[in-house]
């Protein structure tokens, strides 16, 4: 069984990903940098295994895309948590609604959205319009971002409808 649809795999390969990619030094450096940042209220990012696994494979990927998608315009995105480092307070507030901690994965667009993963491996985008469930795992979230599929909005109670 193929991990990604052909189109998604091609976009990821163009960004430098290959099956079995493993960049633990890059991931660890990014995690250290992000965790060293303290928000004004004292909040800090804390990594967990799902975030570490995701970054060990995908850290440093920049997907340069723009154009019509299945339902939404496809935007460029970066899987670089350092680009979302000053989001500890925002992610902590959303984590309370979800009932699960979050760690930044990167950004979508020109800092239009924060990409974050929870300890269960679910991936979310947070933007000025709200919070969105991109997928139950990073593979599904990447497929959503690359195809321009419409993700469900997360409600104030931390739930969404598929």
């Amino acid at each position: 069984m193929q991990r990604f649809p052909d189109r998604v795999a091609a976009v990821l390969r163009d960004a430098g990903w290959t099956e079995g990619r493993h960049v633990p030094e890059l991931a660890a450096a990014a995690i250290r940098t992000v965790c060293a940042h303290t928000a004004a209220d004292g909040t800090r990012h804390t990594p967990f295994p799902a975030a570490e696994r995701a970054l060990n494979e995908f850290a440093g990927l920049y997907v340069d895309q723009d154009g019509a998608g299945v339902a939404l315009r496809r935007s460029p995105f970066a899987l670089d948590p350092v680009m979302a480092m000053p989001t500890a307070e925002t992610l902590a507030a959303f984590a309370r609604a979800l009932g699960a901690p979050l760690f930044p994965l990167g950004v979508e667009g020109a800092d239009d959205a924060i990409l974050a993963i929870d300890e269960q491996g679910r991936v979310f985008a947070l933007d000025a319009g709200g919070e969105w469930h991109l997928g139950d795992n990073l593979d599904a979230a990447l497929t959503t971002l690359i195809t321009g599929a419409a993700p469900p909005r997360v409600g104030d109670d931390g739930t969404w409808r598929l």
Side-chain angles (χ1 to χ4, degrees):
M1 185 171 171
Q2 191 169 313
R3 182 172 175 188
F4 294 105
D6 289 340
R7 179 174 168 209
V8 173
V11 168
L12 290 172
R13 279 192 302 275
D14 288 348
W17 174 84
T18 57
E19 188 69 49
R21 182 176 189 264
H22 191 64
V23 290
E25 296 84 12
L26 180 61
I31 290 168
R32 275 193 308 276
T33 299
V34 168
C35 292
H37 183 282
T38 304
D41 72 350
T43 305
R44 296 176 80 143
H45 293 293
T46 304
F48 40 79
E52 292 166 350
R53 281 190 303 275
L55 293 170
N56 276 329
E57 182 174 4
F58 291 98
L61 290 186
Y62 299 86
V63 173
D64 187 18
Q65 62 179 5
D66 185 24
V70 180
L72 303 172
R73 184 164 197 83
R74 298 173 355 190
S75 300
F77 63 92
L79 296 175
D80 180 353
V82 175
M83 295 176 76
M85 185 169 50
T87 61
E89 290 178 67
T90 301
L91 292 184
F94 184 45
R96 285 189 292 276
L98 288 175
L102 291 160
F103 194 83
L105 289 177
V107 297
E108 182 182 12
D111 293 329
D112 297 326
I114 302 162
L115 302 176
I117 190 168
D118 75 2
E119 66 183 354
Q120 297 172 42
R122 301 176 301 185
V123 179
F124 302 90
L126 295 78
D127 63 23
E131 296 87 19
W132 312 90
H133 175 251
L134 298 179
D136 283 337
N137 56 56
L138 187 53
D139 289 7
L142 291 170
T143 300
T144 297
L145 290 166
I146 292 169
T147 63
R153 186 174 184 161
V154 179
D156 291 340
D157 63 354
T159 63
W160 57 93
R161 296 178 69 161
L162 296 178

